[in-house]
Amino acid sequence: MSFWNRRKAIDTAAGDPAHALKKTLSWYHLIALGVGAIVGTGIYTLTGVGAGLAGPGVMLSFLIAGAVCACAALCYAELSTMIPASGSAYTYSYVAMGEPVAWFVGWSLILEYTLVCAAVAVGWSAHATGLFRMAGFPEFLLAGPHVEFADGTHGLVNLPAVIISFAVAGLLALGTKESATVNMVLVVIKIAALALFVVLCLPAFDAGHFTPFMPQGFAAHTVAGAAGPDAIKVGVMAAASLIFFAFYGFDAVSTAAEETKNPKRDLTIGIVGSMLICTLIYMLVAAVAIGASRAEVFSKSEAPLVFILETLQHPKMAQLVALAAVVALPTVILAFMYGQSRIFFVMARDGLLPPALSRVNAKTGTPVLMTLLTGALSALLSGLLSLKDIAELANAGTLAAFIAVGLSVIVLRVRDPSRPRVFATPLWQLVAPGAILGCLYLFYSLPAKTQRYFLYAHLIGAAVYFLYGVRRSALARAEAGKG
C-alpha cells in the first residue's frame, strides 16, 4: 500500500490499550470544557473588533459564523461518537482519507491550538499587568521585544503570559478530572460576569443604534483606496471571518473522546450543547452591547464590554467584569492546551511524531511530558511575540480542520453507509457540504497575508512529514514488517 492510501481502521482507531487515557469525564465536564473554550477572548474583545468592520451588521456576522460552526459541530458529533478516540479531526481524517491528509489536518490543529493558547495568554497578560506592576515587576518583564517604551527601550519578555501558560500546563498535568473541575468553577464565574453586563446594559438599550445596519455592506472587501496583501477587509463577511475565532472551541470537546465515561451519549451532549449555549450567549451580549452604545464608539476599545459599562456610569461593575475576565480567561487556555496536548499525544502514538511523547503517567493518567511541552511552546510564543503576530493564523488552521471533518463525514457515509451511527448528522447531504463551503468562504474572506502565512506553515509541515512521519508511522512500520 502506498503512503498516500494508508488509512486507520475505525475499530482500531483508539490505538494500543497500553497507551490509553483514563476515562474520568462526564457530559457536564464536556459542556464546561466546550463553554470554557468558546466563551473567552472572543466575547470580551472581538465584539468590538467585529463591530468596527461591520457596524451593527456584526449581529449577522455572529449568526453566519455560528451557522458554519453549527454545521461543523453536527459533523463532529457524528464522527466523535462513531470513532470515540482522541485526536479530533486528525483521527477522523486518518480513518476517512488516509495518512497524508491526516498529517496536514493534525498540523493545522497544532497551529490552531498553539496559537490560541499563546494569544489568550497575551490577552490575559494585558488585563493582569496592573497586578504585576503593583507587585513590583519592572516594565521590561511585562512586554515582549516588539513593544517600544516612551524612552526608546524595548520589552524583554511578557512574563505574565509565560507564567499563566506554565500554570495551566501544570494544572493539566495533575490530572484531567481535577483540571476539568477547576474549569467548571471558572466557567460559572465567566458566565455570571456576562449576565451582569446584560442586566446593567438593558435599561440603556436604544434600537436606533442598529441603523444603518450594514454600513460597510455584506461581502468582504478592502477599504476604499487600500491596496496590497496587508490591506484591511471590511463588511459583514470580513467580520465573520474574524469572529469565527470566537466560536471554535467545541472541537476541543472531541479530543476528550477517549477520556469520556460514556462517549456515545456524552460527546453529543457536550459538542452540540456547548455550541448552542455559546451561540445564544454571543448573540445576546452583542445585541445588548450595540443597543447600549453605538458600534463605531465601542469598537475603538480593546475591552469593549468594560468600556460600555464605564460610559454607562458603572465603574465598579466594569472593574468587576474586568476582574472576571482575568480570573476566567485561563479556561480558554486550559481547554485548548488540553486539546493541543492530546493531538500531539495521538500523533506520537501513531508514530508521526517521536513515540516517547505518547507515554501516559501511571498516576495521573495524562501525557505529562506532552502537556508540559505544550505549555513551554505556548510560553515561548506568548512571551516574545505580539497578539497580532500570534493570532493571525489561528482561524486558517481551524477552517482547514473543519473542512476535513465535513469531508470525512461525506467519505464515510459513501464508503461505509451501513455502519451504526449513535448520532447521525441530520440532512448530512446538506449539512456536511454546508460546513465545507462555509469554511471555504470564510477562508477566502481572510486577509491575503494570513492565507500566505498559512501556506508557508504547511510547506514546513510537508517537510516534517516527508522527512520523518512517512517512514516512521505505525502503519508504515506494519507494512515493512509484513514485507
Side-chain angles (χ1 to χ4, degrees):
M1 182 184 295
S2 301
F3 75 90
W4 57 267
N5 200 31
R6 293 174 191 153
R7 292 198 305 264
K8 277 187 179 182
I10 291 180
D11 297 325
T12 60
D16 184 359
H19 290 274
L21 298 167
K22 187 182 295 184
K23 295 182 181 296
T24 59
L25 302 180
S26 299
W27 65 266
Y28 47 87
H29 289 120
L30 298 180
I31 286 182
L33 182 68
V35 174
I38 299 170
V39 179
T41 304
I43 194 63
Y44 282 102
T45 61
L46 290 187
T47 302
V49 176
L53 297 176
V58 72
M59 290 290 298
L60 191 55
S61 302
F62 273 113
L63 187 61
I64 292 169
V68 172
C69 284
C71 290
L74 291 171
C75 294
Y76 265 98
E78 174 171 315
L79 293 172
S80 64
T81 51
M82 188 169 67
I83 311 171
S86 285
S88 185
Y90 159 77
T91 297
Y92 312 149
S93 299
Y94 215 149
V95 169
M97 294 178 285
E99 185 176 283
V101 175
W103 166 265
F104 284 105
V105 172
W107 192 259
S108 291
L109 289 172
I110 289 172
L111 189 69
E112 169 201 345
Y113 284 21
T114 304
L115 291 170
V116 171
C117 290
V120 178
V122 174
W124 180 88
S125 173
H127 288 87
T129 49
L131 298 176
F132 281 82
R133 288 191 185 99
M134 291 174 60
F137 283 80
E139 288 296 322
F140 68 87
L141 293 180
L142 302 179
H146 60 280
V147 175
E148 182 177 356
F149 301 122
D151 60 1
T153 61
H154 289 77
L156 178 63
V157 62
N158 190 334
L159 189 59
V162 172
I163 290 174
I164 196 62
S165 295
F166 277 118
V168 173
L171 177 61
L172 278 172
L174 290 177
T176 301
K177 185 175 181 179
E178 292 77 7
S179 58
T181 301
V182 172
N183 178 64
M184 283 196 296
V185 174
L186 296 180
V187 166
V188 170
I189 294 174
K190 187 159 49 178
I191 299 301
L194 293 175
L196 177 64
F197 171 81
V198 170
V199 170
L200 292 175
C201 291
L202 271 177
F205 190 89
D206 183 354
H209 292 173
F210 287 84
T211 304
F213 187 67
M214 293 190 294
Q216 301 291 352
F218 180 82
H221 60 279
T222 56
V223 179
D230 297 335
I232 297 174
K233 290 184 178 180
V234 296
V236 168
M237 285 308 302
S241 70
L242 295 177
I243 284 172
F244 185 78
F245 175 92
F247 275 96
Y248 58 76
F250 65 83
D251 55 325
V253 176
S254 67
T255 66
E258 203 170 313
E259 293 160 276
T260 302
K261 294 178 182 177
N262 186 357
K264 291 183 178 180
R265 179 198 67 183
D266 295 345
L267 282 172
T268 301
I269 296 174
I271 293 173
V272 178
S274 61
M275 188 64 213
L276 290 175
I277 290 170
C278 294
T279 300
L280 291 173
I281 291 172
Y282 274 21
M283 297 295 288
L284 178 61
V285 171
V288 170
I290 295 170
S293 176
R294 296 202 68 88
E296 62 269 21
V297 176
F298 71 78
S299 65
K300 296 181 174 64
S301 173
E302 294 182 353
L305 305 190
V306 174
F307 172 82
I308 291 170
L309 287 175
E310 288 176 341
T311 58
L312 295 178
Q313 305 303 314
H314 297 298
K316 291 185 178 180
M317 294 298 101
Q319 292 175 3
L320 191 60
V321 170
L323 180 61
V326 172
V327 172
L329 277 181
T331 62
V332 181
I333 307 174
L334 186 148
F336 279 94
M337 195 174 288
Y338 171 91
Q340 166 72 304
S341 65
R342 270 48 178 183
I343 296 297
F344 265 128
F345 167 79
V346 177
M347 293 180 74
R349 189 170 64 182
D350 290 339
L352 293 173
L353 293 173
L357 299 178
S358 67
R359 291 174 185 164
V360 177
N361 184 277
K363 182 178 180 181
T364 64
T366 59
V368 173
L369 176 61
M370 197 64 261
T371 300
L372 296 179
L373 181 59
T374 301
L377 187 58
S378 174
L380 177 66
L381 292 171
S382 62
L384 300 177
L385 301 178
S386 71
L387 180 59
K388 180 178 181 298
D389 291 335
I390 295 168
E392 59 189 357
L393 281 178
N395 279 4
T398 308
L399 289 166
F402 285 7
I403 290 169
V405 169
L407 286 171
S408 295
V409 166
I410 295 173
V411 169
L412 292 176
R413 285 280 190 159
V414 173
R415 193 172 72 211
D416 198 355
S418 61
R419 178 171 289 273
R421 288 167 169 80
V422 177
F423 175 86
T425 301
L427 299 173
W428 68 269
Q429 299 92 334
L430 297 177
V431 172
I436 295 168
L437 294 175
C439 289
L440 286 173
Y441 191 25
L442 288 173
F443 188 91
Y444 171 77
S445 300
L446 285 169
K449 182 174 68 173
T450 300
Q451 298 168 353
R452 190 171 66 249
Y453 286 171
F454 176 81
L455 174 62
Y456 296 159
H458 281 72
L459 288 175
I460 295 173
V464 174
Y465 174 67
F466 286 111
L467 290 174
Y468 183 89
V470 71
R471 295 188 305 275
R472 295 176 180 264
S473 73
L475 293 185
R477 293 197 303 271
E479 288 175 9
K482 289 178 182 179

